[in-house]
Amino acid sequence: MSPQYYKDMIVRAVEDKSPETLDSLAEHLRNAEKAHSILRAKGYGMQGSTIEATAALVPNARIGFE
């Protein structure tokens, strides 16, 4: 999703006073930050790198080749 999609969703949630949507967005952000922390703790990414850049460093799974 584009940043504009999320901006529009936040604006609509605030204007409509939709706690369910705000809670969902907050949970999504919390999960993304937690995933980033886990990846950083495992040695991926650098301080200040984006979540997307950090995730891109994780190697592909080699399912069935073990």
Side-chain angles (χ1 to χ4, degrees):
M1 302 288 173
S2 73
Q4 189 62 49
Y5 171 84
Y6 288 105
K7 287 178 186 179
D8 293 343
M9 184 184 288
I10 291 165
V11 169
R12 279 193 313 274
V14 171
E15 289 176 347
D16 296 344
K17 296 180 174 66
S18 175
E20 297 85 11
T21 303
L22 288 172
D23 288 346
S24 176
L25 288 164
E27 183 68 13
H28 184 76
L29 180 59
R30 186 192 71 80
N31 288 337
E33 290 295 332
K34 181 65 176 177
H36 195 204
S37 295
I38 291 168
L39 290 173
R40 291 280 299 122
K42 291 185 175 194
Y44 294 102
M46 299 179 339
Q47 187 66 33
S49 63
T50 65
I51 295 168
E52 183 178 17
T54 301
L57 297 171
V58 177
N60 293 332
R62 297 197 56 169
I63 298 172
F65 297 104
E66 300 170 322

